[in-house]
Amino acid sequence: MSEHGVNPRLRHPGPLVQPRVNAVAARLRPLDIALDGTAPLETAICAAFDGASGFVTMTDLRCTALDFVIPARSTRPDRLAWYSEPQGQGGGAVIRQAYASVGRHGADGAMHCHGSWDTQAGARFGHLLGLHTMPEPGQVLRGWVLDGATFDRRPDPETGFDLFAAAGDGAGAPDALALTLRPDEDVGAACAHLCAAQGWQSARIEGLGSLNGAAFADGAVMRDHASEFLVRSGQANPARASLDITVIDSDGALFSGALMQGKGRVSITAELVLIRQD
């Protein structure tokens, strides 16, 4: 494995963009999202946030319809990765665990969600197509608004994607950091460094992204650069971060477990929230 991670550093088609780490201080504010089943999941979530940014976690969310994609190798010269064709099999599904970044794309709300779900074809993992996913009525999601920070989706010249970037004026006495990482930044190292910079002794990590390979404590190695991951649980302190993730590669192979230190470097992007715990 490379000293820089599992794989050599990637060379994306476009120029390097600075800074490599965007972190914005924020105050968390809870937001309950009532789902009446008449609007797609992404539409309902963005309407509830009403122009604000933040994140939503989902557990055992019942859906009357659900669609998703998995990562794929790119066939175009202007990007290194893309998406598969939609993978939904029709019928109902249950989102077992998922995380969604919520932000803005121009004047509109936008959502980016990775997770695991049970479908009629079995258990699956991937990138949720929120506008093609319908929740059953009568359910309530818990979201968190990031006062002082935004996730703004912008064209990214380095990777060729439209990506969320953490932005905003920040907040005093923050209890969270909105964080986006650029290619080849190590997820765990960035989280530990930011805890130290903030003087936080402990923080919870929520988020998602893509990895240029990943190595796990049980010896498993995911070698693809076209991948997508979900933080199942994560903790950081000023010395190190511990991340339990699930990641899927472009062949549809799944890897789950404790990520080794220094072996989880970003492929395209990572969107994270650090939540102070001390």
Side-chain angles (χ1 to χ4, degrees):
M1 289 184 287
S2 164
E3 64 176 343
H4 300 303
V6 172
N7 296 331
R9 291 181 179 271
L10 290 172
R11 291 187 62 85
H12 285 277
L16 291 178
V17 174
Q18 298 292 345
R20 307 306 287 171
V21 176
N22 286 82
V24 182
R27 295 287 300 175
L28 284 177
R29 175 164 50 90
L31 176 69
D32 286 334
I33 305 165
L35 303 172
D36 64 11
T38 65
L41 183 62
E42 182 167 345
T43 301
I45 288 173
C46 290
F49 273 80
D50 192 25
S53 294
F55 68 94
V56 177
T57 57
M58 306 176 212
T59 304
D60 297 335
L61 183 73
R62 302 181 308 278
C63 300
T64 58
L66 181 148
D67 209 352
F68 67 101
V69 294
I70 66 172
R73 298 293 183 97
S74 176
T75 60
R76 295 170 40 164
D78 60 343
R79 60 174 70 101
L80 296 184
W82 195 236
Y83 300 107
S84 71
E85 292 298 314
Q87 302 288 302
Q89 301 294 317
V94 179
I95 298 175
R96 292 304 183 191
Q97 183 180 15
Y99 168 95
S101 304
V102 182
R104 302 186 304 218
H105 189 186
D108 299 322
M111 184 181 92
H112 182 193
C113 179
H114 293 178
S116 58
W117 26 82
D118 289 341
T119 72
Q120 293 189 348
R124 297 290 187 268
F125 180 92
H127 171 115
L128 188 73
L129 298 177
L131 294 175
H132 298 274
T133 296
M134 293 293 296
E136 287 188 9
Q139 302 177 96
V140 178
L141 289 174
R142 170 52 62 93
W144 295 91
V145 174
L146 291 162
D147 287 327
T150 61
F151 287 123
D152 287 339
R153 184 170 288 169
R154 308 165 178 170
D156 179 57
E158 181 175 350
T159 65
F161 283 78
D162 286 353
L163 300 177
F164 275 143
D169 296 329
D175 56 10
L177 288 176
L179 171 63
T180 49
L181 303 179
R182 302 201 60 80
D184 286 312
E185 294 299 314
D186 184 80
V187 175
C191 291
H193 173 77
L194 286 166
C195 271
Q198 290 292 317
W200 295 353
Q201 295 306 303
S202 178
R204 188 172 90 246
I205 306 168
E206 301 274 4
L208 53 74
S210 58
L211 296 175
N212 179 25
F216 295 84
D218 65 1
V221 180
M222 189 282 295
R223 297 192 176 276
D224 205 346
H225 72 268
S227 74
E228 296 191 313
F229 77 88
L230 169 72
V231 176
R232 298 194 301 182
S233 64
Q235 297 286 327
N237 61 46
R240 60 178 290 160
S242 300
L243 289 153
D244 184 287
I245 71 167
T246 292
V247 60
I248 189 170
D249 69 13
S250 61
D251 291 323
L254 277 178
F255 302 79
S256 295
L259 191 62
M260 289 180 62
Q261 300 293 306
K263 302 303 179 184
R265 293 183 179 265
V266 170
S267 173
I268 306 294
T269 188
E271 301 158 12
L272 306 165
V273 178
L274 298 187
I275 302 168
R276 183 175 184 174
Q277 292 191 306
D278 58 286

